[in-house]
């Protein structure tokens, strides 16, 4: 009787030991799987952080270049505004200013203001024929900013570029390609309205970046602009021109801004942008 009891106790102990070992192995497998997933997630996170850092560095470098060129060009103009321009450029500027809105010209207080008006006028004639209400060109310290309404570029809620915009992008590419030193940032801007439910777009960040990228791809692939000269950026709805309180104002805020940064010498060369257009306007 005693032997039977001993065997029973030993058998029960072995069974308990086997069950514990199986549980241990299962737990160890779960642990290894979890650890492997964690390591994979960590690697993916590091890769995404590297990509984000690279983009941030490029944008920071671009903004630093804007500031550097602005300061450099300001210094050149301040040292000797008159000698900074050749006689030929002075002549072209005077001829151009004859065609500029005289009310705007009256507000020009410095030579720099006059140059900005002349360059803006020539670029608008070259890019949009001078008549498009969907294109607005301004110049600030030799940085050229071209605002194009989304009515011309895209359908509502879409990032597919309208073929109606191809002539404008073609002319814009001619301007960019005319000077090797130019760099261009394409910024997408939206209004504050949210995406349609179940849309393939996540939010306005997604839409603004997709639109900027679509323009950049077209400039590169269809109009032969060197990709190293291009930067795509999205600003979502956070840089509005006006309050998003009416349909008209929201339309103004839905735009693509194209920023061109030439150095001073190349900037002055833009005075020659469209002699034919000037001749036609004078006829």
């Amino acid at each position: 009787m005693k032997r039977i009891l001993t065997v029973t106790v030993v058998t029960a102990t072995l069974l308990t030991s086997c069950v514990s070992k199986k549980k241990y192995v299962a737990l160890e497998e779960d642990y290894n799987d979890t650890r492997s997933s964690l390591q994979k997630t960590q690697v993916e996170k590091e890769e995404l952080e590297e990509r984000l850092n690279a983009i941030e560095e490029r944008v920071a470098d671009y903004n630093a270049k804007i500031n550097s060129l602005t300061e450099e060009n300001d210094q050149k103009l301040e040292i000797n505004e008159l000698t900074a321009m050749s006689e030929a450029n002075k002549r072209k500027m005077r001829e151009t200013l004859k065609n500029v809105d005289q009310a705007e010209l009256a507000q020009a207080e410095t030579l720099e203001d006059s140059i900005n008006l002349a360059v803006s006028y020539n670029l608008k004639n070259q890019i949009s024929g001078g008549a498009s209400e969907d294109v607005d060109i301004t110049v600030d310290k030799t940085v050229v900013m071209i605002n194009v309404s989304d009515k011309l570029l895209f359908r509502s809620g879409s990032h597919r570029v309208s073929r109606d915009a191809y002539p404008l992008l073609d002319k814009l590419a001619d301007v960019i390609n005319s000077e090797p030193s130019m760099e261009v940032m394409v910024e997408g801007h939206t209004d504050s309205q949210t995406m349609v439910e179940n849309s393939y777009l996540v939010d306005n960040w997604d839409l603004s970046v997709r639109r900027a990228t679509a323009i950049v791809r077209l400039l590169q692939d269809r109009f032969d602009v060197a990709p190293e000269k291009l930067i795509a950026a999205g600003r979502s709805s956070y840089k509005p021109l006006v309050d998003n309180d009416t349909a008209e104002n929201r339309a103004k805020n839905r735009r693509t801004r194209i920023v061109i940064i030439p150095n001073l010498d190349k900037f002055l060369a833009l005075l020659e942008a469209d002699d034919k257009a000037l001749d036609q306007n004078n006829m």
Side-chain angles (χ1 to χ4, degrees):
M1 182 69 178
K2 186 176 182 179
R3 290 183 60 190
I4 293 172
L5 181 60
T6 302
V7 171
T8 301
V9 170
V10 171
T11 302
T13 302
L14 289 172
L15 287 172
T16 302
S17 176
C18 289
V19 171
S20 298
K21 186 175 181 180
K22 287 179 180 178
K23 286 184 178 179
Y24 173 79
V25 170
L27 288 171
E28 186 175 38
E29 288 177 352
D30 288 343
Y31 169 76
N32 289 335
D33 290 343
T34 302
R35 185 176 180 182
S36 176
S37 297
L38 182 61
Q39 289 174 340
K40 182 180 178 182
T41 302
Q42 184 65 29
V43 169
E44 291 175 349
K45 179 185 175 185
E46 290 174 357
E47 289 177 350
L48 288 172
E49 286 178 345
E50 288 178 2
R51 290 171 60 188
L52 179 60
N53 289 336
I55 292 172
E56 288 178 343
E57 286 176 5
R58 192 175 179 197
V59 171
D61 178 65
Y62 185 79
N63 288 329
K65 189 172 292 185
I66 291 178
N67 295 333
S68 175
L69 285 171
T70 298
E71 291 172 2
E72 176 186 337
N73 292 339
D74 282 350
Q75 289 171 1
K76 286 182 180 179
L77 286 172
E78 289 171 3
I79 289 171
N80 192 333
E81 287 187 333
L82 292 176
T83 58
M85 296 179 65
S86 68
E87 288 300 322
N89 277 332
K90 289 178 187 177
R91 178 183 57 78
K92 287 170 184 172
M93 187 182 75
R94 293 190 191 101
E95 290 299 316
T96 300
L97 291 176
K98 291 178 182 178
N99 299 286
V100 171
D101 186 320
Q102 295 304 299
E104 291 184 16
L105 184 58
Q107 297 177 8
E109 298 179 353
T110 65
L111 175 62
E112 181 183 351
D113 293 338
S114 299
I115 294 173
N116 290 348
L117 280 173
V119 171
S120 177
Y121 178 86
N122 272 8
L123 277 176
K124 188 155 189 175
N125 273 287
Q126 185 177 15
I127 292 173
S128 64
S132 176
E133 296 179 355
D134 298 316
V135 180
D136 179 59
I137 298 176
T138 58
V139 181
D140 182 16
K141 299 183 185 298
T142 76
V143 176
V144 180
M145 286 164 283
I146 305 169
N147 281 302
V148 186
S149 72
D150 280 358
K151 181 175 67 175
L152 177 61
L153 294 174
F154 307 100
R155 292 182 179 177
S156 177
S158 171
H159 66 277
R160 180 172 294 181
V161 182
S162 167
R163 287 189 172 272
D164 292 340
Y166 283 16
L168 181 143
L169 294 177
D170 188 16
K171 293 175 181 178
L172 176 63
D174 287 342
V175 171
I176 299 170
N177 290 332
S178 67
E179 300 295 346
S181 63
M182 283 186 184
E183 288 198 345
V184 181
M185 179 161 67
V186 180
E187 289 181 349
H189 294 259
T190 69
D191 59 28
S192 60
Q193 291 190 311
T194 57
M195 294 294 105
V196 177
E197 189 175 354
N198 298 323
S199 169
Y200 70 97
L201 296 166
V202 178
D203 51 24
N204 281 321
W205 282 112
D206 190 19
L207 177 59
S208 64
V209 171
R210 285 175 184 253
R211 284 181 166 178
T213 305
I215 296 295
V216 163
R217 285 200 182 102
L218 269 177
L219 288 173
Q220 175 185 343
D221 298 339
R222 189 179 183 89
F223 301 111
D224 301 319
V225 175
E228 60 270 17
K229 299 170 70 172
L230 299 169
I231 294 176
R235 302 302 296 269
S236 186
S237 60
Y238 299 107
K239 283 287 184 178
L241 294 175
V242 291
D243 291 335
N244 284 290
D245 53 359
T246 66
E248 183 180 355
N249 281 357
R250 286 192 293 272
K252 291 179 181 178
N253 290 329
R254 293 191 300 270
R255 68 197 189 280
T256 298
R257 188 173 80 142
I258 300 164
V259 185
I260 302 176
I261 311 176
N263 62 36
L264 181 60
D265 294 334
K266 304 304 182 185
F267 179 76
L268 293 176
L270 293 176
L271 288 169
E272 307 174 25
D274 197 18
D275 290 337
K276 290 182 180 180
L278 290 178
D279 290 340
Q280 289 175 356
N281 287 334
N282 289 327
M283 289 177 65

